[in-house]
Amino acid sequence: MTNRESTDDSSTAPAATSIRRWRVWVDRGGGFDVWQGDRFTIGGAGGDPPAELALRCGWPRRVARLLRTPTGDQLETDPLATVYPLRDEQRLPLERRGSVGDAGPQLDYRRPSPLSRSAVITVAPPYRWVSPVDATILFDQTLLIGPEPFNHIRVARLSSQEWVLFRRRDRWWIRGNRLDAEPIDECRPWRREDWSLVIESDSVG
């Protein structure tokens, strides 16, 4: 993986108080909620408004917040507002809130590429997100797609071409080893060789 994504224009990134969400469907790779912002609540499915990162479980609307800072991501837990720095790969230190014999939902956090601040959060079975997706991605400038472990979206049978999704001039773009950067229209399938993806926009802030 090269570091050429550092030259992309990020001047259109949202202000610190705003949140944006997209849903990305990748052929043979699954579905992903992609969030852009600097703080996200974690909680159960109820509440108005619900948590940004909401799970199908008996949790209250908010049990924690995930904070994105220039020095690294942090987890702030309720009710004591304890802040935990997050490592590149770990289980989030959330309070056990399940029934007897059940630890409750377990969330795993990882930052697969040292060249990207985007992070991936998954839920250990049998729990799942309220959204019908496989994982939640906290987006920062670039999102990597491919078969290798350093990708945010891993597609085992996809050719290794260093596929990179990024934002420029308020649009999504994609590039690969044999593809110069080209824009992707939201809500329209983008196809290349033997795979495809669709990006749906859902502004929430």
Side-chain angles (χ1 to χ4, degrees), residues 36-169:
Q36 186 178 45
D38 65 356
R39 59 188 60 202
F40 308 93
T41 54
I42 300 172
D48 185 17
E52 280 91 38
L53 308 185
L55 294 94
R56 296 185 182 277
C57 66
W59 278 355
R61 181 181 68 86
R62 170 177 156 174
V63 300
R65 287 195 309 171
L66 200 150
L67 312 176
R68 312 213 76 196
T69 75
T71 58
D73 294 343
Q74 302 173 342
L75 186 77
E76 180 184 82
T77 61
D78 291 338
L80 300 178
T82 303
V83 176
Y84 300 91
L86 297 180
R87 303 185 302 273
D88 288 347
E89 186 168 346
Q90 71 173 98
R91 180 150 287 182
L92 295 184
L94 296 168
E95 181 181 345
R96 297 169 64 94
R97 291 174 177 260
S99 58
V100 176
D102 176 16
Q106 302 290 301
L107 278 64
D108 293 312
Y109 167 97
R110 66 185 182 95
R111 291 256 308 270
S113 171
L115 302 178
S116 173
R117 287 192 65 247
S118 295
V120 182
I121 302 179
T122 54
V123 182
Y127 290 96
R128 63 185 188 274
W129 299 110
V130 169
S131 298
V133 295
D134 298 283
T136 294
I137 297 173
L138 305 182
F139 175 74
D140 188 321
Q141 296 191 41
T142 57
L143 192 163
L144 314 181
I145 303 174
E148 301 91 349
F150 59 73
N151 289 285
H152 302 96
I153 297 177
R154 294 189 64 182
V155 186
R157 291 175 292 171
L158 184 64
S159 59
S160 178
Q161 291 197 38
E162 295 185 359
W163 295 107
V164 181
L165 274 177
F166 60 96
R167 300 278 296 169
R168 177 186 292 168
R169 297 189 293 273

Side-chain angles (χ1 to χ4, degrees), residues 23-46:
R23 188 160 293 162
V24 178
W25 303 100
V26 178
D27 181 31
R28 293 175 291 164
F32 303 84
D33 273 345
V34 177
W35 291 85
Q36 186 178 45
D38 65 356
R39 59 188 60 202
F40 308 93
T41 54
I42 300 172

